[in-house]
């Protein structure tokens, strides 16, 4: 099967309907900048080694640079009476048609939704679409400090292939390692079934937002 990823992204609905993934738009920049003002996000190694921008305007410029040329989805939670709530992003950062290789990333979920299987459900929808479009191998790069993300990916079914040492330089001049994980198309049917079962007991979030 040939890998075919359209430049124009579709709208994806997650398994329980709690979340919708839609093409990231200029209207999503402000709510994303608001999320990125949270120190808990940067403490996990978010930002590919960059320091947290100091002002709102710098955050907006950081988002523009970080998303430029990439296929990024905005993630909205649908369970509030006032309408969908922006809760994060995910997307595709690289693809290589001859090898059917796709790298996913730029994943960020609001800390208000951590521990509620939100990332699990969003990833299931993204991978369903990517594998259906002909991906043979899906990769993730994760900062070793981001234990939450590493644990989540391994529980989901990704395999840790190793650590790419001295992968990139941080702004302070220090070198950054990266953990490389992958999931293959041959593994997807069983992984998908486990992922769906893990969502079977998920109800609406008891949230105060």
């Amino acid at each position: 099967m040939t890998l075919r990823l359209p430049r124009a992204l579709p709208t994806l609905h997650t398994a329980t309907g709690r979340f919708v993934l839609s093409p990231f738009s200029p209207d999503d920049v402000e709510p994303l900048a608001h999320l990125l003002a949270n120190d808990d996000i940067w403490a996990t190694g978010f930002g590919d080694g960059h320091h947290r921008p100091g002002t709102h305007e710098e955050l907006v410029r950081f988002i523009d640079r970080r998303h430029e040329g990439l296929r990024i989805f905005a993630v909205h939670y649908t369970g509030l009476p006032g309408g969908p709530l922006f809760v994060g992003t995910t997307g595709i950062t690289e693809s290589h048609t001859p090898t059917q290789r796709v790298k996913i990333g730029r994943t960020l979920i609001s800390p208000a939704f951590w521990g509620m299987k939100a990332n699990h459900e969003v990833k299931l929808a993204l991978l369903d679409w990517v594998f259906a479009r002909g991906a043979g191998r899906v990769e993730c790069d994760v900062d070793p400090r981001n234990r939450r993300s590493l644990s989540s990916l391994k529980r989901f079914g990704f395999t840790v292939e190793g650590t790419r040492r001295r992968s990139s330089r941080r702004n302070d001049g220090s070198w950054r390692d990266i953990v490389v994980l992958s999931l293959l198309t041959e593994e997807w049917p069983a992984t998908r079934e486990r992922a769906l079962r893990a969502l079977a007991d998920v109800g609406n979030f008891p949230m105060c937002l």
Side-chain angles (χ1 to χ4, degrees), residues 72-88:
I72 304 298
F73 289 96
V75 180
H76 289 83
Y77 174 57
T78 65
L80 295 176
L85 173 71
F86 179 91
V87 297

Side-chain angles (χ1 to χ4, degrees), residues 116-134:
M116 299 179 180
K117 298 183 180 177
N119 190 24
H120 179 106
E121 186 169 345
V122 167
K123 192 163 272 75
L124 174 58
L126 176 63
L127 290 173
D128 249 349
W129 180 69
V130 168
F131 281 118
R133 300 298 304 181

Side-chain angles (χ1 to χ4, degrees), residues 14 37 39 41 66 69 77 82 88 100 107 116 127 131 167 183 195:
T14 65
D39 288 331
I41 292 171
R66 189 168 166 80
Y77 174 57
Q100 302 176 332
T107 301
M116 299 179 180
L127 290 173
F131 281 118
S167 177
L183 182 63

Side-chain angles (χ1 to χ4, degrees), residues 86-101:
F86 179 91
V87 297
T89 61
T90 194
I92 297 166
T93 59
E94 293 181 24
S95 62
H96 187 245
T97 299
T99 58
Q100 302 176 332
R101 182 179 66 86

